[in-house]
Amino acid sequence: MRAAWIWIPLLATLGCGERDPVPLSAVEQVSTPLGQGAAPMLAIDPSGDRVLSYVTADGGLAIEVTPTGGEPSRAEVADPLGAVAPHGEAPPQLATAPDGSLYLLYTVGKEVPGQRFPRSALRLVRSEDRGQSWSEPISVNEGERFGSHNFHAVLAGDSGRVYAAWLSSTAGRSSVWLRRSDDGGRTWAPARPIDTGEACPCCRTGLALGPDGSLYVSWRKVFENGARDVVVMRSPDGGATWLDPVRPRADDWVISACPHAGPSLMVDREGVVHLGWWTGKEGSAGVYYGRSEDQGRTFTVRPVAVAASSAPAHVRVQPLGGAVAVAWDDGHGPSPRILLRAATSGAEFGPTLALSGDGAAEFPVLGRAGDSLVVAWSQQSEQAHHDAARARPDMSQPGAVMALPKVGEQVIVSRRVPIQALLARSGP
């Protein structure tokens, strides 16, 4: 539980000196005023519209599309299989295609008597009218509808091509699976594992597409010595063949538990690979950023927020045309809060900017909308956060059973950060 962690001064430079403050917008609640929401996801479509999704208290999916300078429109999706899982580390994943189509990949959970963990079905819906209406849900995983299919990612490319990645477990061993559709998610090629090694079973995967057509996947891999470190793997031919996975930094974090904190992966228009992640390695625990200019073969890694120890933090990266922004929920304090740092190419990260105020704030998502960054996250009172943490079962106990996650008292909020002012505070 985060309440058990004691503040330790950061080892990474937080920035100092007299600089102009960043003029932040007010915090806006974007979940329904009378309802709660959890597991947000944010995307900016090719026209610049902001698309925000989250799980509602009744187990549906809310999708809000806000045109530039216009009023938002809202739609909801309900799955006939059951409630959508409001899992912060495995949220409904949102993808925008170059033609404006929208895709949501999510899980529906099912508790099975006699089993310790819920089973899940991996489901996809599609919109071709900017979120006004949505297709009927289809299952993306093969075989049994409810199984071990979770911690997923979705990516939409040109000409109706859609990729889905997720973790599946066979005989107690998790691995990364990939499936491709060439007709907008209506039909899918056979699913297959893309790496023979073991994957950490509770950390999200990531997908990104480079301007040269290279496909990238990221996840937390389990190495022979028991270390659970983040890796990136590239396919030069759209997923047909794969190069060996690359570990941007040998964190060498050996643990036999599940951190629920996977990497964030993006590739910019110049083909630069951006990766953000968290590690719990004692003595150098916290958030890191890696940048690759050679298609993921090698990475330059910089610390973002590192200390002697840290609770799990959930990281997101956003390229900014030669610069980068990194958002995360702080793992060094007694309660999580949303923090943001930015760096121009080759420079150190600028001062840390706190985006959230009172309460416990988790699972940030961000996207570039014109001259601003839009950052959204889940928020609740500190008391509700600590109560929920205390109520979680200790899965190290043989008889413990994990229940399906619930939205609880969380709401979804967002705020805007002017990019020019943010970058002016970055660098030397």
Side-chain angles (χ1 to χ4, degrees):
M1 294 184 296
R2 287 180 182 264
W5 291 87
I6 300 173
W7 173 264
I8 299 173
L10 297 183
L11 301 179
T13 301
L14 295 181
C16 57
E18 295 297 327
R19 306 194 189 207
D20 293 334
V22 176
L24 302 173
S25 72
V27 175
E28 171 195 5
Q29 181 173 328
V30 292
S31 55
T32 54
L34 299 178
Q36 284 72 47
M41 189 52 58
L42 177 69
I44 309 300
D45 79 1
S47 69
D49 293 355
R50 183 189 78 178
V51 186
L52 177 70
S53 68
Y54 58 91
V55 181
T56 62
D58 61 0
L61 268 173
I63 306 99
E64 184 180 277
V65 180
T66 305
T68 303
E71 293 297 317
S73 62
R74 191 169 180 273
E76 290 199 24
V77 171
D79 196 295
L81 290 187
V84 176
H87 196 307
E89 176 61 10
Q93 295 286 349
L94 179 63
T96 63
D99 65 0
S101 298
L102 303 175
Y103 298 87
L104 271 164
L105 183 68
Y106 59 92
T107 59
V108 172
K110 179 181 180 182
E111 294 177 356
V112 180
Q115 295 192 2
R116 299 187 67 202
F117 294 95
R119 313 300 282 171
S120 56
L122 192 60
R123 307 278 278 173
L124 181 114
V125 291
R126 177 188 70 257
S127 174
E128 297 177 346
D129 56 8
R130 310 183 77 79
Q132 299 299 310
S133 62
W134 292 82
S135 65
E136 289 297 315
I138 65 167
S139 290
V140 174
N141 56 274
E142 293 179 306
E144 56 185 350
R145 178 168 284 175
F146 284 93
S148 175
H149 319 294
N150 213 327
F151 302 102
H152 45 284
V154 66
L155 176 69
D158 290 321
S159 305
R161 179 163 292 184
V162 184
Y163 297 95
W166 68 92
L167 299 182
S168 278
S169 178
T170 303
R173 180 185 173 97
S174 289
S175 56
V176 184
W177 288 69
L178 184 81
R179 204 171 185 194
R180 191 184 83 191
S181 170
D182 291 327
D183 58 5
R186 294 170 178 84
T187 61
W188 294 80
R192 62 188 182 94
I194 63 171
D195 182 60
T196 57
E198 182 180 2
C200 184
C202 61
C203 291
R204 67 175 180 247
T205 57
L207 280 171
L209 195 63
D212 64 346
S214 291
L215 180 65
Y216 297 84
V217 179
S218 62
W219 73 95
R220 190 180 294 276
K221 183 179 176 69
V222 180
F223 289 83
E224 291 183 0
N225 66 345
R228 301 192 179 207
D229 289 353
V230 165
V231 297
V232 176
M233 193 157 75
R234 181 174 76 93
S235 169
D237 48 18
T241 60
W242 293 89
L243 305 179
D244 291 337
V246 172
R247 180 160 48 167
R249 180 180 186 271
D251 296 332
D252 282 325
W253 181 39
V254 179
I255 188 174
S256 59
C258 287
H260 285 256
S264 174
L265 173 70
M266 293 195 76
V267 181
D268 65 24
R269 294 178 180 177
E270 304 302 318
V272 177
V273 181
H274 303 266
L275 187 75
W277 74 94
W278 172 88
T279 178
K281 176 67 178 291
E282 289 294 319
S284 56
V287 176
Y288 289 85
Y289 163 75
R291 173 187 175 95
S292 174
E293 298 183 2
D294 58 4
Q295 297 180 311
R297 296 179 180 88
T298 61
F299 283 81
T300 300
V301 175
R302 285 178 275 172
V304 179
V306 179
S309 61
S310 172
H314 307 94
V315 186
R316 293 286 178 179
V317 297
Q318 176 61 51
L320 298 173
V324 67
V326 181
W328 71 100
D329 45 12
D330 182 25
H332 296 115
S335 292
R337 55 182 181 147
I338 305 302
L339 303 178
L340 179 72
R341 296 186 78 180
T344 55
S345 178
E348 295 300 318
F349 279 90
T352 301
L353 186 63
L355 299 185
S356 60
D358 294 337
E362 294 182 286
F363 299 107
V365 290
L366 70 165
R368 180 173 187 168
D371 59 1
S372 297
L373 273 178
V374 179
V375 187
W377 62 88
S378 298
Q379 184 154 319
Q380 60 186 325
S381 70
E382 290 194 15
Q383 185 63 52
H385 171 74
H386 295 317
D387 288 347
R390 282 190 289 268
R392 295 190 190 106
D394 181 0
M395 297 307 295
S396 66
Q397 300 300 314
V401 176
M402 179 67 73
L404 288 171
K406 298 184 183 301
V407 170
E409 298 181 24
Q410 299 174 90
V411 296
I412 306 300
V413 299
S414 73
R415 74 188 317 175
R416 284 180 171 265
V417 182
I419 293 173
Q420 185 174 359
L422 177 67
L423 295 180
R425 300 173 79 244
S426 305

